[in-house]
Amino acid sequence: MVTVKSAEKVAMRDVFGDTLLHLSQIDSRVYALDGDLATSTKVNVVAEKNAPKFLQMGIAEQNMMSVAAGLATTGLQPWATTFAAFLSKRAIDQIQVQIAQPNLDVKMIGAYSGLLTGLTGKTHQALEDIAIFRSLANMVVLAPADGVETKKMMEFANEYHGPVYIRLARDPLPTVFSEDYKFELGKAVKVRDGKDVTIISTGTQTGRSLEAAEKLAEEGIDVAVLHMPSIKPLDKEAIIQAAEETGAIVTSEEHSIYGGLGSAVAEVLVEEKPVPMLRIGVKDRNAESASNEALLQKYEISSHHIVARVREVLKKK
């Protein structure tokens, strides 16, 4: 089990920009491709400090992915960056046919994922990206919990040959991991021990799940929290072990309940170790613009809602 660091808040996108700049400076293969959102995704630091490695593709995501595929065929490593909503839906044909099928070394960064996208509205919110990307053969799908893990994932992706999708959140989040944390592809990370129920979470929901576990501890409910940074490939063994040890599972994600982490975990449990399970995520509905707290409450993915679902699943044991 890893040690939770602190409540210090850092934005993933700031870490992303700084890390990509560093990679572009030390690795001749690395190029940043931008879909005219550099100041939002923070890839603008590459444009400002290493301009030859910055390629402005404009508001043309489909073309950007075709360019990325072409660059990869020459031995370069393009990092294509735009909002997750645009990457996962507007450019999915190019990603599937030109990148995933030939298994090219393209890194895709889905910024502004989930609900909390700074009042940009439902056209800019991505609640389906995990489901879409994990359905593609050869695709690695990752969702970091904090800035530290974002950096570690990027360092991994730089060494990994093949297509990788990383979904990033917009706003600052509590820091979960210390600097000595090591990301491993296909491995879950236990961030809290417990014996009564396991929350399996990914991305932004891991911090909220830890908060919920603390609240439940005050009621005498002992909750384990298993962070799943690698959604594809998935750590099936860790899921089965959690089911055996606690006998009940709650999944938590800032994503639709359809096709994401909850679906992936359910697929494992139904085949290997059926136990009571409930999913936390956005239900079958479109989202809207509002403050972060209002969105978390309305779409039922706040720490308060995690607490309620844990209580509910315990009644099913």
Side-chain angles (χ1 to χ4, degrees):
M1 189 181 78
V2 301
T3 302
V4 175
K5 184 185 176 186
S6 72
E8 176 191 1
K9 291 188 176 183
V10 176
M12 292 179 184
R13 58 179 177 159
D14 290 331
V15 175
F16 164 69
D18 292 340
T19 305
L20 187 56
L21 171 62
H22 177 66
L23 292 175
S24 74
Q25 292 169 331
I26 65 170
D27 190 335
S28 62
R29 301 172 302 148
V30 172
Y31 280 78
L33 278 62
D34 172 48
D36 199 31
L37 288 169
T39 56
S40 295
T41 64
K42 301 303 183 181
V43 75
N44 61 308
V45 298
V46 180
E48 294 165 2
K49 299 182 179 181
N50 194 11
K53 290 297 196 75
F54 178 84
L55 303 178
Q56 178 55 261
M57 297 288 101
I59 306 175
E61 294 83 3
Q62 295 167 329
N63 180 65
M64 177 170 70
M65 303 318 297
S66 294
V67 171
L71 292 173
T73 64
T74 71
L76 299 177
Q77 187 183 84
W79 288 66
T81 66
T82 185
F83 289 175
F86 306 153
L87 194 60
S88 63
K89 288 172 279 191
R90 189 173 296 168
I92 195 61
D93 183 43
Q94 284 72 20
I95 292 170
Q96 160 72 346
V97 175
Q98 298 177 330
I99 296 171
Q101 286 184 3
N103 199 27
L104 295 181
D105 190 28
V106 177
K107 313 311 172 189
M108 291 153 277
I109 306 299
Y112 282 51
S113 68
L115 277 175
L116 312 186
T117 59
L119 304 178
T120 55
K122 61 186 176 184
T123 58
H124 289 49
Q125 290 164 319
L127 300 174
E128 312 86 6
D129 55 315
I130 293 174
I132 291 168
F133 274 101
R134 83 178 186 95
S135 70
L136 303 182
N138 297 322
M139 188 66 65
V140 168
V141 182
L142 309 176
D146 65 4
V148 171
E149 192 170 41
T150 298
K151 181 175 183 290
K152 302 292 185 176
M153 277 184 180
M154 293 179 68
E155 291 171 345
F156 153 78
N158 179 237
E159 297 297 325
Y160 176 85
H161 186 84
V164 177
Y165 174 68
I166 304 176
R167 84 185 312 240
L168 301 181
R170 175 187 185 275
D171 294 335
L173 293 165
T175 299
V176 174
F177 298 111
S178 60
E179 292 296 335
D180 61 356
Y181 167 75
K182 182 180 179 181
F183 168 77
E184 293 184 70
L185 180 64
K187 295 296 182 181
V189 184
K190 182 173 281 190
V191 291
R192 183 185 171 93
D193 283 321
K195 59 180 174 55
D196 296 329
V197 61
T198 300
I199 300 172
I200 301 178
S201 59
T202 193
T204 56
Q205 286 295 103
T206 292
R208 296 175 196 129
S209 297
L210 285 167
E211 183 180 342
E214 291 293 334
K215 293 178 181 177
L216 288 160
E218 297 172 2
E219 304 175 18
I221 300 174
D222 195 13
V223 179
V225 178
L226 186 67
H227 172 54
M228 195 69 70
S230 177
I231 302 164
K232 185 184 179 185
L234 190 69
D235 193 341
K236 296 181 179 180
E237 291 74 18
I239 295 169
I240 296 167
Q241 183 177 350
E244 291 174 343
E245 291 178 351
T246 64
I249 302 292
V250 172
T251 60
S252 182
E253 59 193 310
E254 193 179 328
H255 183 273
S256 169
I257 60 170
Y258 298 110
L261 175 70
S263 295
V265 170
E267 290 161 9
V268 174
L269 294 178
V270 75
E271 292 182 351
E272 304 290 345
K273 187 69 178 179
V275 297
M277 173 188 167
L278 291 173
R279 294 169 296 160
I280 292 168
V282 178
K283 297 172 183 176
D284 193 18
R285 57 202 298 199
N286 291 313
E288 60 195 297
S289 285
S291 68
N292 287 359
E293 188 57 34
L295 289 170
L296 292 173
Q297 294 298 328
K298 181 168 183 175
Y299 294 95
E300 302 177 17
I301 62 171
S302 70
S303 62
H304 169 76
H305 291 95
I306 300 172
V307 167
R309 293 297 265 176
V310 168
R311 293 186 188 127
E312 188 178 348
V313 81
L314 283 171
K315 295 176 182 178
K316 297 176 179 288
K317 285 183 67 174

